Amino acid sequence: MVTRRELSDGDAPELIPYRTMKAQHSHLGGGVFVAEGDKVVHRLIDSRLGLRSVLAPPAEADALEARLQAAGRTADLFVAPRSVLEGFTGFPIYQGILALGEVPRPGSVGDLLSGPGDRKSTRLNSSHSSVSRMPS
């Protein structure tokens, strides 16, 4: 489900990660990251990564809302004037689209080996594998 909110400025508390997007280290410590640009945000929407929200100007909002719904995403869609987004990025933007994604948690060895496809098709059989410790 997509929850759409029209905003006139960047003061909403939910936009704090966007306002502080240049502080990526603190975001990563909080388990989130800011994606910037239409191609990057579209890839995030289409990925299996967690997605908390998308921030876009009015001209991009309808298409983004449709894409989020088609992907079955549950996220907030914040719609704000382009000037608000440019205030966050610090430079003029063409297709000002930002998104707040979730840093993935470390997976199991089986998840890493299965790759981006179906995780059920490739599993590491722990009974046939061994882990040895390197000598100190």
Side-chain angles (χ1 to χ4, degrees):
M1 177 162 115
V2 178
T3 304
R4 184 172 174 158
R5 284 187 48 200
E6 306 282 336
L7 305 170
S8 59
D9 57 44
D11 294 336
E14 298 90 343
L15 299 182
I16 289 173
Y18 296 106
R19 281 196 303 268
T20 60
M21 65 184 280
K22 293 178 185 173
Q24 286 291 327
H25 290 351
S26 65
H27 287 175
L28 293 175
V32 296
F33 65 92
V34 177
E36 180 182 353
D38 63 327
K39 290 181 176 87
V40 175
V41 171
H42 290 169
R43 293 216 36 193
L44 176 59
I45 291 169
D46 296 340
S47 76
R48 295 185 301 181
L49 294 176
L51 176 66
R52 293 192 184 174
S53 64
V54 177
L55 174 61
E60 307 292 334
D62 290 340
L64 277 169
E65 185 172 11
R67 188 175 193 129
L68 288 162
Q69 289 173 344
R73 288 299 205 150
T74 299
D76 292 318
L77 173 59
F78 300 114
V79 182
R82 186 172 306 280
S83 60
V84 170
L85 282 82
E86 289 177 350
F88 294 159
T89 61
F91 53 84
I93 49 178
Y94 176 67
Q95 289 182 315
I97 303 171
L98 304 171
L100 187 62
E102 296 176 356
V103 176
R105 295 180 185 185
S108 68
V109 172
D111 289 342
L112 293 173
L113 293 177
S114 69
D118 180 15
R119 291 187 184 270
K120 292 180 182 176
S121 65
T122 308
R123 291 282 182 196
L124 179 65
N125 185 341
S126 60
S127 64
H128 293 9
S129 63
S130 64
V131 177
S132 59
R133 187 174 172 169
M134 298 282 292
S136 322

